[in-house]
Amino acid sequence: MKLQRMNRRALALGALAVSSALTLTACGSDDTGDSGSGDATTSAQAGNITCDDASGQLLADGSSAQKNAIDAWVKQFTAACKGVQINYKGGGSGAGITAFTQGTVGFAGSDSALEPEEITATKEVCSGGQGIDLPMVGGPIAVAYNLEGVDNLVLDAPTLAKIFSDKIKNWNDPAIAKLNPDAKLPDLKIQAFHRSEDSGTTDNFTKYLIETTPENWKYEGGKAWTAPGGQSASGSSGVAQQVKQTNGAISYMELSYAKGSSVVAIDTGASQPVAASVDGATKAIADAKVVGTGKDLALELNYATKAEGAYPITLVTYEIVCDKGNKAESLPTVKAFLNYIASEDGQKVLADNDYAPMPADIITKVRSTIAGLS
């Protein structure tokens, strides 16, 4: 099945300023396409975006899965808040958390909630506080493939586990054929790609396999890929490119990166296989539980859901900030930007770009938490 083409991606941001710490500078001409020649918008509201005291340059890094969403948000926010430049690198969840604990970014994006040891590390940069997880972006992890002559493919968790652990090696394997009796599967080697760097997308994909088919996936979870076999590529864009250019390829990626590729429908045990979709991801996230403590809103997803229409391989991207002790010079810009992306208008941007908005009860808690950041 072919995904519908996304709306045009936001204009690319300029290169990150070289700095060992987050710096706020007045912007002249910037790389977002805005001249930035005027003074920063202060305590002003442009359209439905409230800029408050946002100004200068804000550096951020993390999840590549949400980068298309961040780009779209940044385009809207910086157009409304003149003089603000937000540079989100999108180097992966692991890189984002590292940058946050080193104090070089105003916020980080991660497709996995902070681990206990990571929370401890954040206390070094959050004066009097700690890092917290704010669920902001939902997204189905699409299993995209490139197989000439096969536009519709159904797989289940055991078969996926065997493909990505190099136990099923050819596309005409009996296990795949049983799930796809009408498909003309070629006698072709499967080229499975996984992420080369620490990735929250990897973490969520392997959590799905661990929870649904532990007898077939006996490898450790986490951000690093630990299963044998396969080939690696960097970032969501990297694995997506490999799938597009390699006949016989398959990989996992956030749905917005799978445009132009065929995607697998997952046999969850529901009455019909479930395709990766925004609505399907939102249905799955609505079944999640908040397991974070205090102001932390980390979620526990139900990867084994069999609910009709719920897509099970789903991730939530968190924006990571300090609950207390955010840098005074960056806090106004961080809060203004987070307030916008958590707003009703900001969440609407997600569905337009193949992401899943947060369910109402979850995003309401996020908004309240942002208001109390200090």
Side-chain angles (χ1 to χ4, degrees):
M1 66 199 73
K2 298 291 184 181
L3 296 173
Q4 294 182 346
R5 185 171 298 276
M6 286 173 47
N7 292 341
R8 179 176 299 173
R9 287 188 58 189
L11 297 175
L13 299 174
L16 287 175
V18 178
S19 173
S20 61
L22 174 66
T23 59
L24 277 289
T25 59
C27 298
S29 177
D30 61 43
D31 291 319
T32 64
D34 298 312
S35 65
S37 58
D39 293 335
T41 302
T42 302
S43 297
Q45 182 167 327
N48 292 320
I49 298 176
T50 301
C51 303
D52 291 327
D53 294 320
S55 64
Q57 178 175 260
L58 176 63
L59 306 184
D61 195 2
S63 164
S64 65
Q66 72 165 355
K67 191 172 188 307
N68 290 338
I70 292 285
D71 285 352
W73 279 329
V74 166
K75 181 179 180 181
Q76 298 297 320
F77 186 80
T78 55
C81 302
K82 303 298 183 183
V84 177
Q85 184 184 13
I86 300 175
N87 288 320
Y88 182 81
K89 186 177 179 181
S93 297
I97 292 172
T98 297
F100 186 79
T101 57
Q102 292 176 345
T104 61
V105 293
F107 73 91
S110 176
D111 305 322
S112 299
L114 290 166
E115 299 289 346
E117 64 272 16
E118 292 170 338
I119 293 175
T120 299
T122 66
K123 295 179 181 180
E124 297 296 320
V125 295
C126 299
S127 179
Q130 66 178 47
I132 58 173
D133 301 285
L134 301 178
M136 198 72 74
V137 181
I141 301 174
V143 180
Y145 68 97
N146 180 349
L147 195 58
E148 291 181 6
V150 181
D151 293 330
N152 297 288
L153 190 70
V154 174
L155 296 174
D156 58 13
T159 308
L160 281 170
K162 292 173 185 177
I163 287 173
F164 280 93
S165 60
D166 206 33
K167 293 182 176 67
I168 291 180
K169 300 178 182 294
N170 272 46
W171 279 107
N172 63 346
D173 187 274
I176 301 177
K178 183 177 180 179
L179 291 165
N180 299 274
D182 297 326
K184 295 181 180 180
L185 298 168
D187 183 8
L188 179 68
K189 179 177 173 57
I190 295 173
Q191 305 283 347
F193 287 89
H194 57 263
R195 294 280 287 275
S196 60
E197 80 284 10
D198 284 1
S199 161
T201 310
T202 293
D203 190 17
N204 283 274
F205 181 66
T206 54
K207 279 178 178 176
Y208 161 73
L209 297 175
I210 290 168
E211 186 166 334
T212 56
T213 183
E215 67 278 14
N216 292 301
W217 193 264
K218 300 181 181 296
Y219 314 101
E220 291 185 10
K223 298 181 183 70
W225 185 263
T226 57
Q231 304 173 64
S232 65
S234 177
S236 297
S237 59
V239 293
Q241 183 61 33
Q242 290 296 332
V243 169
K244 288 183 177 70
Q245 67 187 21
T246 308
N247 186 33
I250 188 170
S251 188
Y252 55 92
M253 65 198 70
E254 204 282 327
L255 180 61
S256 68
Y257 287 90
K259 65 181 186 294
S261 297
S262 296
V263 295
V264 170
I266 304 299
D267 183 346
T268 65
S271 63
Q272 296 293 329
V274 185
S277 70
V278 168
D279 289 344
T282 299
K283 288 179 181 178
I285 295 168
D287 197 28
K289 299 177 182 178
V290 176
V291 295
T293 58
K295 294 183 179 180
D296 189 274
L297 298 176
L299 302 176
E300 182 179 85
L301 299 173
N302 179 14
Y303 298 98
T305 180
K306 292 180 173 61
E308 295 296 329
Y311 184 76
I313 319 177
T314 297
L315 61 76
V316 170
T317 300
Y318 302 92
E319 311 311 335
I320 297 170
V321 292
C322 299
D323 57 354
K324 300 178 183 177
N326 290 280
K327 293 181 179 180
E329 65 271 27
S330 63
L331 180 59
T333 307
V334 169
K335 287 186 71 171
F337 184 64
L338 294 182
N339 274 324
Y340 162 58
I341 68 178
S343 71
E344 184 176 348
D345 286 347
Q347 289 288 295
K348 285 179 180 177
V349 170
L350 294 176
D352 292 337
N353 289 277
D354 287 331
Y355 292 94
M358 289 294 100
D361 59 335
I362 293 175
I363 202 64
T364 298
K365 294 176 182 177
V366 171
R367 292 167 186 157
S368 177
T369 303
I370 294 170
L373 296 179
S374 62

